Amino acid sequence: MKIRSIKVYHVAMPLKNAWCTAYGEDDCIESILVCMTGGENQGWGESSPLRAPTYSSEWARGVFIIVRDWLAPQLIGQDVTSGKQLQGLLSWVKGNYFAKGGLDLAWWDLYARSQGKPLWKLVGGRTSAVDVGADIGVMESLDALLVEIDKTQEAGFKRIKLKYRPGWDLNMLSAVREKFPDVIIHVDCNGAYTLSDISMFRHLDCYDLAMIEQPLAHDDLFDHAKLQQNIHTPVCLDESIVSLEKARKAIELKACRWVNIKPCRVGGLTNALAIHDLCQDAGVPCWVGGMLESAVGQAHNLALATLPNIRYPSDIFPSSRFYRHDLAEPEIVLSGPSQITATDEPGIGCEPHPERLQRHLIEMAVIE
Ligand code: MG
């Protein structure tokens, strides 16, 4: 399948409410959408590293430039027949996983559409229905948080994830556990702590958490291994796992007992699948995270979440959770309590809505 053209879009999607975490506050999500044309088909990918380099060292405008100037030109005119081949063509560029991810995901959608198959079936998914959880950011008050958790319980979510940071930590969790003693909960620290906080993490063992997500620095493995040796609650790595190599080292070091896989964080679906398989062979269960993408990015995440070693409800959300209107259509909707179902249409089964893409556009480029 010869790649004829690649269009790159840098967009800003306004959120219904500001999203507040340990790394900062966003009132819109800046994302990169990639449209790849090959043969008679088009495929869409999305990579959402956020506006500023606060979640990782990558950021939306930086990803746009790397894709436009360095990565996309490598693919034009190439007959790409596998994700591995595509990754090989991009491998001369060091790092820049989010940038590579946008292109890799667009290729997978293009490939699945050219085969006339839903992406989730093409990658070996078991069943189209996927368990999903609720994710609650740092809120203005404990009362507001408890009301929000109440809503997730009424809606039947199988687990809740709470953002956790200095000042919104043990007191918050103690109030939540008092009111909701039996709910499956985990916390996401987004790298806000260091090993000097080890006594706080030992104390977290009392709260019966499913896991502690990314407690220490975004690029660390070694200290996470030390922390895991000292606490009973499983550590889950998110930010630290940017590649198959990092996943292998994390497993060898025993730095975590869970891995959160985000296709765009690890350079695309090709690498996400490899990490999934590596973890499965090592007996390390996974689940799928998200970056508040539009339905395009979430549809890719959904395809990954149909795989057998995804063993915890994923961070895939109905579009209405964060957006008044999703940039893409059809929107992501719940298909049951705590459940979203992958499409039976070819590829990811969704595309940006042309008018909304224009409305939210910051910059675009065509590489042919
Ligand atoms: Mg996380």
Side-chain angles (χ1 to χ4, degrees), residues 70-285:
W70 297 106
L71 296 173
Q74 295 298 312
L75 302 179
I76 298 298
Q78 298 280 357
D79 184 17
V80 180
T81 55
S82 73
K84 268 194 183 152
Q85 184 194 351
L86 179 130
Q87 290 289 332
L89 290 165
L90 305 180
S91 64
W92 68 283
V93 170
K94 304 285 190 292
N96 288 287
Y97 304 101
F98 276 97
K100 292 173 182 173
L103 289 162
D104 180 280
L105 292 170
W107 180 84
W108 274 99
D109 183 35
L110 174 62
Y111 177 59
R113 285 178 201 249
S114 74
Q115 303 291 306
K117 285 186 183 164
L119 181 59
W120 69 271
K121 280 190 182 162
L122 198 72
V123 298
R126 282 182 313 183
T127 160
S128 59
V130 163
D131 279 344
V132 299
D135 188 354
I136 305 177
V138 175
M139 299 200 63
E140 66 276 14
S141 70
L142 282 177
D143 287 345
L145 174 67
L146 296 176
V147 168
E148 207 56 35
I149 296 175
D150 251 335
K151 287 185 203 161
T152 68
Q153 297 313 290
E154 278 166 26
F157 281 100
K158 289 181 177 168
R159 62 88 171 152
I160 56 172
K161 158 168 159 175
L162 301 173
K163 290 294 187 182
Y164 192 88
R165 70 175 185 188
W168 185 258
D169 41 27
L170 287 176
N171 284 346
M172 176 275 289
L173 200 54
S174 153
V176 170
R177 263 296 176 235
E178 198 172 311
K179 185 156 182 216
F180 302 97
D182 302 320
V183 174
I184 297 174
I185 294 175
H186 87 268
V187 295
D188 184 4
C189 309
N190 287 111
Y193 296 91
T194 69
L195 275 185
S196 65
D197 298 299
I198 202 155
S199 60
M200 183 276 292
F201 285 115
R202 282 207 187 101
H203 196 63
L204 278 188
D205 279 338
C206 311
Y207 290 100
D208 193 26
L209 297 173
M211 64 191 81
I212 302 170
E213 189 177 340
Q214 197 69 34
L216 310 179
H218 72 99
D219 55 354
D220 172 75
L221 296 177
F222 189 76
D223 284 358
H224 279 100
K226 279 190 182 172
L227 176 64
Q228 184 67 92
Q229 276 171 19
N230 279 280
I231 59 174
H232 297 297
T233 310
V235 167
C236 170
L237 287 179
D238 172 355
E239 283 92 327
S240 290
I241 307 297
V242 292
S243 64
L244 184 62
E245 268 300 284
K246 278 291 185 85
R248 178 183 69 76
K249 288 170 185 171
I251 291 167
E252 281 190 25
L253 281 168
K254 297 187 167 50
C256 62
R257 294 186 194 145
W258 283 91
V259 172
N260 163 338
I261 312 179
K262 294 176 180 168
C264 62
R265 189 197 66 225
V266 302
L269 196 54
T270 307
N271 299 338
L273 295 169
I275 291 169
H276 167 275
D277 293 352
L278 177 86
C279 289
Q280 186 168 36
D281 291 346
V284 175

